[in-house]
Amino acid sequence: MKKKVLSKEEIGSNKGKKIVELVNDRDYLIAIVDGVPKDLSYVIKGNEKEIEIVDFDHPKGREAFWHTSSHILAQAVKELFPQVKLTIGPPIENGFHYDFYTGDNTFTPQDLEKIEKKAKEIIERNLEVVRMEISKEEAIRIFRDKGEDFKIELLNEIEDDKVSVYKQGDFVDLCMGPHILRTGLVKAFKILSSSSSYWRKDEKGPVLQRIYGISFPTEKELEKYLKKIEEAKKRDHRKLGKELDLFSYSEDIGAGLILWHPKGAIIRRIIENFMFEEHIKRGYLPVYTPHVGKKKLWEISGHLDFYRENMYPEMEFEEEEGYFVKPMNCPFHIQIYRSNLRSYRDLPLRFFEFGTVYRLERSGVLHGLARVRGFTQDDAHIFCTPEQVEDEIKGVIDFALFVLKKFGFKDYKVYISTKPEEYVGTDEMWEMATNSLIKASKEVNLSFEIAEGEGAFYGPKIDILIRDAIGREWQCTTIQFDFNMPERFNITFRDSDGRDKRPYMIHRALLGSFERFFGVLIEHYAGNFPLWLAPEQVRILPVSEKFMNYAEKVLDVLKREKIRAGIDAENEKLGYKVRKAEIQKIPYLFIVGKKEEEKEAVSVRKHGEGDLGIMEIRKVIKLLREEIESN
RNA sequence: GCCGGGGUAGCUCAGCGGUAGAGCAGCUGAUUUGUAAUCAGCAGGUCGUGGGUUCGAAUCCCUCCCCCGGCUCCA
């Protein structure tokens, strides 16, 4: 990484000069002047406190590089399709995109090829990228002449009457900048995909065509990036799920409904058992509830008002009230709460259930195990007094982090979502609840971001998102206050002063759902499950059929030790069986032949490490036990 | 739900107006195998669904279902 910081003296002595006069623009992309990113054409005033000049390896440098790349993309599109209207084109985490209004037209794959070619041509032209500050009126005139209606809409919202535009060749775009100085600096440029998007995120507004691209200062970096993407695709849980025979779906059953195959199911059960025990240890009480409930229940809960579009339609009967399959467990847990008069001495009450829910997600959002229509949450509802809220939240966060650690997750993001525009409950309740989330997070040194106004209407929440192989983030852990349900179902507890009061209700799921969590877990381990989770922990490979008897004997010992094992009895060469087992990512292979049988031993081969040599059975089992328990 | 791409044997894919093909997997046989693919033979498909165009459709058009990439929305 190249980075240059101008000293006070350098700033003073270069007053009136453009920064680009001090450095080579092939090495440096932009400058950060007193914390604000600027073009290298920035003229030094002399009174700046700090000027930092950065390259592509700096996030701000990269941003500018990709931002300029998005302008190059836009210029290419405008040259090929002059009738297309520009909207916006920001840099993103990996590359950039630009949204175009194309009326009834869309971009075909052939169009994208042409656009990429044209973009490369524009790069060849090595156009200077010039920043111009002009009056708002002038900008409006320019974009009106060009028919850029969307730009005018944006301009009308700018309060300043000075705006900046960037020009490269004949292409002009309204833009804050900064940008790199020449299109020729982009040595590698690739269009990755296209899709639609909505103007201003409004699905009722104009539909735009978005083109995604990536660019780098060298071809080599592009190749490296593309290779990384290829590698990531190999860990995709949908691919591994099929290859390792973990789960599937069936068109005949319906979209977003998961079939857990034996190998997937055993992993799930291990996770369930672990979670069940841990809940009990932490003072949760298990409950089981039905999958359907009467229409009336969902009227009281309010789901039929605010959640109906996500619910499977009503089951109607001739002589009885209709039923709905549950999209959430909360109304059921509330009923258990209501089944008794609750004293303040009973609180906190923590009901937990691996509750299966069904949500009619819109067809386009379904995604492997990560977004499905039927899933099982590791769900719990905590009912407590206001005084207990803080401790309860702390307990839940601690539990969540413990679970993530157990599965080896380190790369996650935490968001605390605050009060939205429309909400239920009092401001005091919101404030108290939100503060308890923030305070608890701070106490366990959890770094988080505040998502202003992103809370659900019924309460603030804290979410933990885990990244998948392709970099997409999935919300797993969620801890949400619910100010709505207790009110609607009018639940109370009898306090020490003999009066009935409203308890606080905290809804939480740690894994989120077994489906999504399993999907993320597969990608996290790239299918190489740690020994305690591996569906087949050991496979015994007899060198030939002659050693089947001994193999059976070894299998018996393993089974007695509760180690999940199998024998590959196929009439094949050893190399073939080893290859098959390696592809299936089986942690340990025990090879048995003449030497092994004589010594009551096995030859151990570990996945990813290879041959570990011959070992006595007793000894290997001890090692396996240790490895299983160490997790 | 929206925009685009796609659905051919269990899997990965070729064929894209003249009537269906490969590799792997499967089955059978031979081989009795020492750490990532032994050889041979056999079998396997109403080309996602329903309709249309055509003398003729896997191939062109439309409907629906499902999958993929995004958008919007969420565990």
Side-chain angles (χ1 to χ4, degrees), chain A residues 192-233:
Chain A
L192 294 174
S193 63
S194 70
S195 81
S196 74
S197 62
Y198 300 111
W199 173 240
R200 313 220 127 159
K201 302 188 165 196
D202 177 5
E203 63 181 336
K204 292 185 196 76
V207 174
L208 309 176
Q209 296 298 317
R210 173 173 296 180
I211 299 177
Y212 286 87
I214 186 108
S215 61
F216 290 97
T218 63
E219 273 293 337
K220 220 173 165 178
E221 282 163 284
L222 175 63
E223 279 166 31
K224 211 174 124 196
Y225 175 78
L226 294 175
K227 206 158 179 191
K228 211 178 96 190
I229 302 264
E230 281 308 308
E231 285 304 310
K233 278 187 190 159

mmCIF file of all heavy atoms in Angstrom, chain A residues 192-233:
data_model
loop_
_atom_site.group_PDB
_atom_site.id
_atom_site.type_symbol
_atom_site.label_atom_id
_atom_site.label_comp_id
_atom_site.label_asym_id
_atom_site.label_seq_id
_atom_site.Cartn_x
_atom_site.Cartn_y
_atom_site.Cartn_z
ATOM 1 N N LEU A 192 -19.939 -7.659 -14.654
ATOM 2 C CA LEU A 192 -20.184 -8.935 -13.992
ATOM 3 C C LEU A 192 -21.612 -9.437 -14.209
ATOM 4 O O LEU A 192 -21.826 -10.613 -14.458
ATOM 5 C CB LEU A 192 -19.927 -8.798 -12.492
ATOM 6 C CG LEU A 192 -18.467 -8.530 -12.093
ATOM 7 C CD1 LEU A 192 -18.371 -8.263 -10.605
ATOM 8 C CD2 LEU A 192 -17.573 -9.695 -12.487
ATOM 9 N N SER A 193 -22.576 -8.549 -14.086
ATOM 10 C CA SER A 193 -23.960 -9.009 -14.208
ATOM 11 C C SER A 193 -24.873 -7.806 -14.388
ATOM 12 O O SER A 193 -24.447 -6.661 -14.248
ATOM 13 C CB SER A 193 -24.373 -9.768 -12.957
ATOM 14 O OG SER A 193 -24.328 -8.910 -11.837
ATOM 15 N N SER A 194 -26.111 -8.093 -14.671
ATOM 16 C CA SER A 194 -27.091 -7.021 -14.729
ATOM 17 C C SER A 194 -28.344 -7.501 -14.022
ATOM 18 O O SER A 194 -28.554 -8.692 -13.845
ATOM 19 C CB SER A 194 -27.412 -6.665 -16.174
ATOM 20 O OG SER A 194 -28.138 -7.696 -16.783
ATOM 21 N N SER A 195 -29.144 -6.562 -13.600
ATOM 22 C CA SER A 195 -30.404 -6.923 -12.953
ATOM 23 C C SER A 195 -31.289 -5.688 -13.007
ATOM 24 O O SER A 195 -30.900 -4.660 -13.541
ATOM 25 C CB SER A 195 -30.154 -7.320 -11.502
ATOM 26 O OG SER A 195 -30.036 -6.175 -10.699
ATOM 27 N N SER A 196 -32.466 -5.803 -12.447
ATOM 28 C CA SER A 196 -33.296 -4.615 -12.378
ATOM 29 C C SER A 196 -33.166 -4.030 -10.985
ATOM 30 O O SER A 196 -32.687 -4.665 -10.055
ATOM 31 C CB SER A 196 -34.746 -4.965 -12.667
ATOM 32 O OG SER A 196 -35.301 -5.632 -11.560
ATOM 33 N N SER A 197 -33.573 -2.808 -10.849
ATOM 34 C CA SER A 197 -33.629 -2.188 -9.530
ATOM 35 C C SER A 197 -34.754 -1.164 -9.593
ATOM 36 O O SER A 197 -35.329 -0.938 -10.645
ATOM 37 C CB SER A 197 -32.294 -1.519 -9.202
ATOM 38 O OG SER A 197 -32.028 -0.500 -10.134
ATOM 39 N N TYR A 198 -35.053 -0.597 -8.451
ATOM 40 C CA TYR A 198 -36.135 0.382 -8.426
ATOM 41 C C TYR A 198 -35.578 1.774 -8.138
ATOM 42 O O TYR A 198 -34.691 1.915 -7.299
ATOM 43 C CB TYR A 198 -37.151 0.024 -7.334
ATOM 44 C CG TYR A 198 -37.789 -1.327 -7.526
ATOM 45 C CD1 TYR A 198 -37.498 -2.375 -6.661
ATOM 46 C CD2 TYR A 198 -38.665 -1.550 -8.584
ATOM 47 C CE1 TYR A 198 -38.081 -3.625 -6.840
ATOM 48 C CE2 TYR A 198 -39.248 -2.790 -8.761
ATOM 49 C CZ TYR A 198 -38.953 -3.822 -7.889
ATOM 50 O OH TYR A 198 -39.524 -5.052 -8.067
ATOM 51 N N TRP A 199 -36.099 2.759 -8.850
ATOM 52 C CA TRP A 199 -35.707 4.146 -8.591
ATOM 53 C C TRP A 199 -36.104 4.494 -7.160
ATOM 54 O O TRP A 199 -37.252 4.314 -6.779
ATOM 55 C CB TRP A 199 -36.400 5.057 -9.613
ATOM 56 C CG TRP A 199 -36.231 6.541 -9.388
ATOM 57 C CD1 TRP A 199 -37.233 7.435 -9.170
ATOM 58 C CD2 TRP A 199 -35.010 7.280 -9.380
ATOM 59 N NE1 TRP A 199 -36.710 8.695 -9.028
ATOM 60 C CE2 TRP A 199 -35.338 8.641 -9.145
ATOM 61 C CE3 TRP A 199 -33.657 6.946 -9.535
ATOM 62 C CZ2 TRP A 199 -34.389 9.659 -9.075
ATOM 63 C CZ3 TRP A 199 -32.703 7.959 -9.458
ATOM 64 C CH2 TRP A 199 -33.069 9.293 -9.226
ATOM 65 N N ARG A 200 -35.125 4.889 -6.389
ATOM 66 C CA ARG A 200 -35.323 5.276 -4.999
ATOM 67 C C ARG A 200 -35.901 4.143 -4.162
ATOM 68 O O ARG A 200 -36.734 4.379 -3.284
ATOM 69 C CB ARG A 200 -36.259 6.466 -4.902
ATOM 70 C CG ARG A 200 -35.914 7.557 -5.877
ATOM 71 C CD ARG A 200 -36.072 8.861 -5.258
ATOM 72 N NE ARG A 200 -34.861 9.628 -5.409
ATOM 73 C CZ ARG A 200 -34.833 10.938 -5.312
ATOM 74 N NH1 ARG A 200 -35.932 11.578 -5.038
ATOM 75 N NH2 ARG A 200 -33.719 11.583 -5.458
ATOM 76 N N LYS A 201 -35.495 2.906 -4.473
ATOM 77 C CA LYS A 201 -35.900 1.735 -3.686
ATOM 78 C C LYS A 201 -37.407 1.545 -3.617
ATOM 79 O O LYS A 201 -37.894 0.845 -2.739
ATOM 80 C CB LYS A 201 -35.356 1.855 -2.259
ATOM 81 C CG LYS A 201 -33.869 1.974 -2.208
ATOM 82 C CD LYS A 201 -33.388 1.888 -0.795
ATOM 83 C CE LYS A 201 -31.885 1.628 -0.756
ATOM 84 N NZ LYS A 201 -31.449 1.186 0.551
ATOM 85 N N ASP A 202 -38.135 2.191 -4.505
ATOM 86 C CA ASP A 202 -39.583 2.111 -4.440
ATOM 87 C C ASP A 202 -40.076 1.152 -5.515
ATOM 88 O O ASP A 202 -39.955 1.419 -6.704
ATOM 89 C CB ASP A 202 -40.168 3.509 -4.667
ATOM 90 C CG ASP A 202 -41.688 3.485 -4.672
ATOM 91 O OD1 ASP A 202 -42.268 2.415 -4.400
ATOM 92 O OD2 ASP A 202 -42.276 4.530 -4.968
ATOM 93 N N GLU A 203 -40.661 0.037 -5.079
ATOM 94 C CA GLU A 203 -41.035 -0.971 -6.076
ATOM 95 C C GLU A 203 -42.225 -0.536 -6.916
ATOM 96 O O GLU A 203 -42.553 -1.182 -7.912
ATOM 97 C CB GLU A 203 -41.243 -2.347 -5.437
ATOM 98 C CG GLU A 203 -42.362 -2.435 -4.442
ATOM 99 C CD GLU A 203 -42.460 -3.845 -3.855
ATOM 100 O OE1 GLU A 203 -42.016 -4.793 -4.511
ATOM 101 O OE2 GLU A 203 -42.974 -3.980 -2.745
ATOM 102 N N LYS A 204 -42.863 0.558 -6.531
ATOM 103 C CA LYS A 204 -43.942 1.069 -7.373
ATOM 104 C C LYS A 204 -43.430 2.139 -8.330
ATOM 105 O O LYS A 204 -44.134 2.559 -9.240
ATOM 106 C CB LYS A 204 -45.059 1.648 -6.492
ATOM 107 C CG LYS A 204 -45.776 0.574 -5.705
ATOM 108 C CD LYS A 204 -46.955 1.133 -4.917
ATOM 109 C CE LYS A 204 -47.404 0.151 -3.866
ATOM 110 N NZ LYS A 204 -46.491 0.100 -2.683
ATOM 111 N N GLY A 205 -42.204 2.567 -8.114
ATOM 112 C CA GLY A 205 -41.610 3.599 -8.969
ATOM 113 C C GLY A 205 -41.052 3.009 -10.258
ATOM 114 O O GLY A 205 -41.251 1.830 -10.541
ATOM 115 N N PRO A 206 -40.338 3.828 -11.060
ATOM 116 C CA PRO A 206 -39.791 3.342 -12.320
ATOM 117 C C PRO A 206 -38.812 2.183 -12.101
ATOM 118 O O PRO A 206 -38.072 2.175 -11.126
ATOM 119 C CB PRO A 206 -39.037 4.553 -12.871
ATOM 120 C CG PRO A 206 -39.540 5.730 -12.122
ATOM 121 C CD PRO A 206 -40.027 5.232 -10.806
ATOM 122 N N VAL A 207 -38.860 1.226 -13.011
ATOM 123 C CA VAL A 207 -37.928 0.103 -12.955
ATOM 124 C C VAL A 207 -36.668 0.478 -13.720
ATOM 125 O O VAL A 207 -36.740 0.943 -14.851
ATOM 126 C CB VAL A 207 -38.567 -1.161 -13.566
ATOM 127 C CG1 VAL A 207 -37.549 -2.291 -13.635
ATOM 128 C CG2 VAL A 207 -39.769 -1.591 -12.738
ATOM 129 N N LEU A 208 -35.532 0.307 -13.071
ATOM 130 C CA LEU A 208 -34.263 0.648 -13.699
ATOM 131 C C LEU A 208 -33.508 -0.627 -14.050
ATOM 132 O O LEU A 208 -33.792 -1.689 -13.524
ATOM 133 C CB LEU A 208 -33.421 1.492 -12.739
ATOM 134 C CG LEU A 208 -34.116 2.712 -12.127
ATOM 135 C CD1 LEU A 208 -33.194 3.388 -11.119
ATOM 136 C CD2 LEU A 208 -34.543 3.690 -13.209
ATOM 137 N N GLN A 209 -32.544 -0.485 -14.946
ATOM 138 C CA GLN A 209 -31.676 -1.604 -15.282
ATOM 139 C C GLN A 209 -30.325 -1.328 -14.661
ATOM 140 O O GLN A 209 -29.720 -0.294 -14.915
ATOM 141 C CB GLN A 209 -31.543 -1.746 -16.805
ATOM 142 C CG GLN A 209 -32.855 -2.075 -17.500
ATOM 143 C CD GLN A 209 -33.435 -3.403 -17.038
ATOM 144 O OE1 GLN A 209 -32.721 -4.386 -16.890
ATOM 145 N NE2 GLN A 209 -34.743 -3.413 -16.782
ATOM 146 N N ARG A 210 -29.889 -2.251 -13.819
ATOM 147 C CA ARG A 210 -28.619 -2.061 -13.125
ATOM 148 C C ARG A 210 -27.552 -2.940 -13.757
ATOM 149 O O ARG A 210 -27.807 -4.113 -14.049
ATOM 150 C CB ARG A 210 -28.788 -2.414 -11.650
ATOM 151 C CG ARG A 210 -27.475 -2.423 -10.874
ATOM 152 C CD ARG A 210 -27.704 -2.604 -9.401
ATOM 153 N NE ARG A 210 -28.455 -1.487 -8.841
ATOM 154 C CZ ARG A 210 -28.789 -1.397 -7.556
ATOM 155 N NH1 ARG A 210 -28.469 -2.342 -6.715
ATOM 156 N NH2 ARG A 210 -29.466 -0.348 -7.125
ATOM 157 N N ILE A 211 -26.386 -2.367 -13.965
ATOM 158 C CA ILE A 211 -25.256 -3.165 -14.435
ATOM 159 C C ILE A 211 -24.184 -3.149 -13.356
ATOM 160 O O ILE A 211 -23.830 -2.096 -12.840
ATOM 161 C CB ILE A 211 -24.684 -2.602 -15.757
ATOM 162 C CG1 ILE A 211 -25.763 -2.648 -16.844
ATOM 163 C CG2 ILE A 211 -23.449 -3.397 -16.191
ATOM 164 C CD1 ILE A 211 -25.332 -2.042 -18.161
ATOM 165 N N TYR A 212 -23.714 -4.355 -12.989
ATOM 166 C CA TYR A 212 -22.646 -4.484 -12.004
ATOM 167 C C TYR A 212 -21.313 -4.690 -12.708
ATOM 168 O O TYR A 212 -21.245 -5.404 -13.711
ATOM 169 C CB TYR A 212 -22.890 -5.701 -11.107
ATOM 170 C CG TYR A 212 -23.986 -5.521 -10.081
ATOM 171 C CD1 TYR A 212 -25.310 -5.782 -10.392
ATOM 172 C CD2 TYR A 212 -23.676 -5.097 -8.793
ATOM 173 C CE1 TYR A 212 -26.320 -5.630 -9.445
ATOM 174 C CE2 TYR A 212 -24.671 -4.937 -7.838
ATOM 175 C CZ TYR A 212 -25.990 -5.208 -8.161
ATOM 176 O OH TYR A 212 -26.966 -5.055 -7.225
ATOM 177 N N GLY A 213 -20.276 -4.086 -12.175
ATOM 178 C CA GLY A 213 -18.950 -4.292 -12.755
ATOM 179 C C GLY A 213 -17.881 -4.229 -11.691
ATOM 180 O O GLY A 213 -18.141 -3.890 -10.529
ATOM 181 N N ILE A 214 -16.676 -4.595 -12.105
ATOM 182 C CA ILE A 214 -15.539 -4.505 -11.199
ATOM 183 C C ILE A 214 -14.352 -4.029 -12.018
ATOM 184 O O ILE A 214 -14.304 -4.254 -13.227
ATOM 185 C CB ILE A 214 -15.249 -5.859 -10.512
ATOM 186 C CG1 ILE A 214 -14.141 -5.746 -9.450
ATOM 187 C CG2 ILE A 214 -14.826 -6.918 -11.507
ATOM 188 C CD1 ILE A 214 -14.635 -5.845 -8.052
ATOM 189 N N SER A 215 -13.417 -3.370 -11.371
ATOM 190 C CA SER A 215 -12.237 -2.883 -12.092
ATOM 191 C C SER A 215 -11.055 -2.840 -11.142
ATOM 192 O O SER A 215 -11.222 -2.817 -9.919
ATOM 193 C CB SER A 215 -12.503 -1.488 -12.649
ATOM 194 O OG SER A 215 -12.780 -0.591 -11.591
ATOM 195 N N PHE A 216 -9.866 -2.848 -11.738
ATOM 196 C CA PHE A 216 -8.635 -2.839 -10.954
ATOM 197 C C PHE A 216 -7.550 -2.069 -11.688
ATOM 198 O O PHE A 216 -7.630 -1.899 -12.902
ATOM 199 C CB PHE A 216 -8.157 -4.279 -10.704
ATOM 200 C CG PHE A 216 -9.031 -5.045 -9.747
ATOM 201 C CD1 PHE A 216 -10.008 -5.902 -10.228
ATOM 202 C CD2 PHE A 216 -8.881 -4.892 -8.379
ATOM 203 C CE1 PHE A 216 -10.829 -6.602 -9.354
ATOM 204 C CE2 PHE A 216 -9.700 -5.596 -7.499
ATOM 205 C CZ PHE A 216 -10.666 -6.447 -7.982
ATOM 206 N N PRO A 217 -6.534 -1.656 -10.954
ATOM 207 C CA PRO A 217 -5.414 -0.957 -11.600
ATOM 208 C C PRO A 217 -4.545 -1.883 -12.455
ATOM 209 O O PRO A 217 -3.766 -1.411 -13.254
ATOM 210 C CB PRO A 217 -4.605 -0.406 -10.423
ATOM 211 C CG PRO A 217 -5.513 -0.453 -9.248
ATOM 212 C CD PRO A 217 -6.431 -1.606 -9.499
ATOM 213 N N THR A 218 -4.655 -3.211 -12.233
ATOM 214 C CA THR A 218 -3.886 -4.139 -13.067
ATOM 215 C C THR A 218 -4.748 -5.352 -13.422
ATOM 216 O O THR A 218 -5.679 -5.698 -12.690
ATOM 217 C CB THR A 218 -2.638 -4.694 -12.325
ATOM 218 O OG1 THR A 218 -3.092 -5.439 -11.187
ATOM 219 C CG2 THR A 218 -1.715 -3.576 -11.885
ATOM 220 N N GLU A 219 -4.421 -5.979 -14.553
ATOM 221 C CA GLU A 219 -5.113 -7.187 -14.996
ATOM 222 C C GLU A 219 -4.983 -8.294 -13.958
ATOM 223 O O GLU A 219 -5.881 -9.074 -13.727
ATOM 224 C CB GLU A 219 -4.519 -7.692 -16.318
ATOM 225 C CG GLU A 219 -5.127 -7.062 -17.567
ATOM 226 C CD GLU A 219 -6.588 -7.463 -17.786
ATOM 227 O OE1 GLU A 219 -7.023 -8.523 -17.279
ATOM 228 O OE2 GLU A 219 -7.288 -6.686 -18.480
ATOM 229 N N LYS A 220 -3.801 -8.339 -13.370
ATOM 230 C CA LYS A 220 -3.479 -9.398 -12.428
ATOM 231 C C LYS A 220 -4.448 -9.409 -11.247
ATOM 232 O O LYS A 220 -4.906 -10.460 -10.804
ATOM 233 C CB LYS A 220 -2.057 -9.197 -11.920
ATOM 234 C CG LYS A 220 -1.301 -10.492 -11.793
ATOM 235 C CD LYS A 220 0.130 -10.204 -11.465
ATOM 236 C CE LYS A 220 0.801 -11.487 -10.983
ATOM 237 N NZ LYS A 220 2.212 -11.286 -10.697
ATOM 238 N N GLU A 221 -4.749 -8.202 -10.757
ATOM 239 C CA GLU A 221 -5.661 -8.107 -9.622
ATOM 240 C C GLU A 221 -7.064 -8.570 -9.990
ATOM 241 O O GLU A 221 -7.752 -9.179 -9.188
ATOM 242 C CB GLU A 221 -5.726 -6.659 -9.103
ATOM 243 C CG GLU A 221 -4.525 -6.287 -8.261
ATOM 244 C CD GLU A 221 -4.377 -4.793 -8.114
ATOM 245 O OE1 GLU A 221 -3.930 -4.148 -9.088
ATOM 246 O OE2 GLU A 221 -4.721 -4.273 -7.053
ATOM 247 N N LEU A 222 -7.461 -8.275 -11.223
ATOM 248 C CA LEU A 222 -8.775 -8.727 -11.701
ATOM 249 C C LEU A 222 -8.815 -10.247 -11.740
ATOM 250 O O LEU A 222 -9.760 -10.870 -11.254
ATOM 251 C CB LEU A 222 -9.079 -8.161 -13.090
ATOM 252 C CG LEU A 222 -10.370 -8.665 -13.735
ATOM 253 C CD1 LEU A 222 -11.585 -8.267 -12.920
ATOM 254 C CD2 LEU A 222 -10.515 -8.149 -15.165
ATOM 255 N N GLU A 223 -7.762 -10.839 -12.288
ATOM 256 C CA GLU A 223 -7.707 -12.302 -12.357
ATOM 257 C C GLU A 223 -7.788 -12.912 -10.969
ATOM 258 O O GLU A 223 -8.498 -13.889 -10.746
ATOM 259 C CB GLU A 223 -6.407 -12.750 -13.032
ATOM 260 C CG GLU A 223 -6.471 -12.685 -14.551
ATOM 261 C CD GLU A 223 -5.104 -12.805 -15.180
ATOM 262 O OE1 GLU A 223 -4.232 -13.490 -14.589
ATOM 263 O OE2 GLU A 223 -4.898 -12.206 -16.257
ATOM 264 N N LYS A 224 -7.070 -12.297 -10.049
ATOM 265 C CA LYS A 224 -7.062 -12.788 -8.671
ATOM 266 C C LYS A 224 -8.473 -12.713 -8.080
ATOM 267 O O LYS A 224 -8.934 -13.650 -7.425
ATOM 268 C CB LYS A 224 -6.097 -11.930 -7.834
ATOM 269 C CG LYS A 224 -5.442 -12.687 -6.702
ATOM 270 C CD LYS A 224 -4.399 -11.814 -6.014
ATOM 271 C CE LYS A 224 -4.685 -11.696 -4.528
ATOM 272 N NZ LYS A 224 -3.959 -10.579 -3.888
ATOM 273 N N TYR A 225 -9.140 -11.612 -8.351
ATOM 274 C CA TYR A 225 -10.493 -11.426 -7.835
ATOM 275 C C TYR A 225 -11.447 -12.476 -8.407
ATOM 276 O O TYR A 225 -12.228 -13.096 -7.684
ATOM 277 C CB TYR A 225 -10.995 -10.020 -8.170
ATOM 278 C CG TYR A 225 -12.429 -9.801 -7.773
ATOM 279 C CD1 TYR A 225 -12.772 -9.551 -6.445
ATOM 280 C CD2 TYR A 225 -13.460 -9.868 -8.718
ATOM 281 C CE1 TYR A 225 -14.085 -9.378 -6.073
ATOM 282 C CE2 TYR A 225 -14.781 -9.694 -8.356
ATOM 283 C CZ TYR A 225 -15.096 -9.449 -7.031
ATOM 284 O OH TYR A 225 -16.413 -9.287 -6.666
ATOM 285 N N LEU A 226 -11.357 -12.685 -9.718
ATOM 286 C CA LEU A 226 -12.255 -13.651 -10.359
ATOM 287 C C LEU A 226 -12.008 -15.063 -9.845
ATOM 288 O O LEU A 226 -12.929 -15.856 -9.684
ATOM 289 C CB LEU A 226 -12.083 -13.607 -11.882
ATOM 290 C CG LEU A 226 -12.517 -12.289 -12.533
ATOM 291 C CD1 LEU A 226 -12.201 -12.305 -14.023
ATOM 292 C CD2 LEU A 226 -14.005 -12.028 -12.309
ATOM 293 N N LYS A 227 -10.748 -15.336 -9.562
ATOM 294 C CA LYS A 227 -10.404 -16.645 -9.030
ATOM 295 C C LYS A 227 -11.002 -16.829 -7.639
ATOM 296 O O LYS A 227 -11.504 -17.898 -7.300
ATOM 297 C CB LYS A 227 -8.874 -16.775 -8.962
ATOM 298 C CG LYS A 227 -8.426 -18.205 -9.035
ATOM 299 C CD LYS A 227 -6.999 -18.315 -9.488
ATOM 300 C CE LYS A 227 -6.603 -19.781 -9.510
ATOM 301 N NZ LYS A 227 -5.170 -19.965 -9.697
ATOM 302 N N LYS A 228 -10.943 -15.759 -6.865
ATOM 303 C CA LYS A 228 -11.507 -15.787 -5.517
ATOM 304 C C LYS A 228 -13.008 -16.091 -5.574
ATOM 305 O O LYS A 228 -13.531 -16.872 -4.784
ATOM 306 C CB LYS A 228 -11.267 -14.433 -4.834
ATOM 307 C CG LYS A 228 -11.102 -14.536 -3.335
ATOM 308 C CD LYS A 228 -10.828 -13.165 -2.724
ATOM 309 C CE LYS A 228 -12.105 -12.542 -2.211
ATOM 310 N NZ LYS A 228 -11.965 -11.132 -1.821
ATOM 311 N N ILE A 229 -13.680 -15.466 -6.543
ATOM 312 C CA ILE A 229 -15.117 -15.697 -6.711
ATOM 313 C C ILE A 229 -15.366 -17.168 -7.041
ATOM 314 O O ILE A 229 -16.280 -17.790 -6.515
ATOM 315 C CB ILE A 229 -15.666 -14.835 -7.871
ATOM 316 C CG1 ILE A 229 -15.390 -13.371 -7.604
ATOM 317 C CG2 ILE A 229 -17.133 -15.117 -8.119
ATOM 318 C CD1 ILE A 229 -16.496 -12.616 -6.981
ATOM 319 N N GLU A 230 -14.535 -17.713 -7.925
ATOM 320 C CA GLU A 230 -14.662 -19.123 -8.306
ATOM 321 C C GLU A 230 -14.521 -20.022 -7.081
ATOM 322 O O GLU A 230 -15.282 -20.958 -6.886
ATOM 323 C CB GLU A 230 -13.589 -19.495 -9.333
ATOM 324 C CG GLU A 230 -13.914 -19.049 -10.755
ATOM 325 C CD GLU A 230 -15.295 -19.504 -11.209
ATOM 326 O OE1 GLU A 230 -15.593 -20.712 -11.098
ATOM 327 O OE2 GLU A 230 -16.083 -18.634 -11.643
ATOM 328 N N GLU A 231 -13.519 -19.723 -6.276
ATOM 329 C CA GLU A 231 -13.274 -20.502 -5.063
ATOM 330 C C GLU A 231 -14.479 -20.426 -4.128
ATOM 331 O O GLU A 231 -14.908 -21.423 -3.561
ATOM 332 C CB GLU A 231 -12.029 -19.990 -4.334
ATOM 333 C CG GLU A 231 -10.721 -20.399 -4.996
ATOM 334 C CD GLU A 231 -10.604 -21.908 -5.161
ATOM 335 O OE1 GLU A 231 -10.818 -22.625 -4.172
ATOM 336 O OE2 GLU A 231 -10.317 -22.365 -6.283
ATOM 337 N N ALA A 232 -15.009 -19.221 -3.977
ATOM 338 C CA ALA A 232 -16.143 -19.022 -3.082
ATOM 339 C C ALA A 232 -17.335 -19.834 -3.556
ATOM 340 O O ALA A 232 -18.079 -20.399 -2.754
ATOM 341 C CB ALA A 232 -16.506 -17.544 -3.007
ATOM 342 N N LYS A 233 -17.512 -19.926 -4.865
ATOM 343 C CA LYS A 233 -18.648 -20.673 -5.402
ATOM 344 C C LYS A 233 -18.575 -22.142 -5.029
ATOM 345 O O LYS A 233 -19.592 -22.807 -4.900
ATOM 346 C CB LYS A 233 -18.687 -20.535 -6.926
ATOM 347 C CG LYS A 233 -19.347 -19.247 -7.370
ATOM 348 C CD LYS A 233 -19.525 -19.227 -8.867
ATOM 349 C CE LYS A 233 -19.959 -17.853 -9.333
ATOM 350 N NZ LYS A 233 -19.673 -17.653 -10.759
#
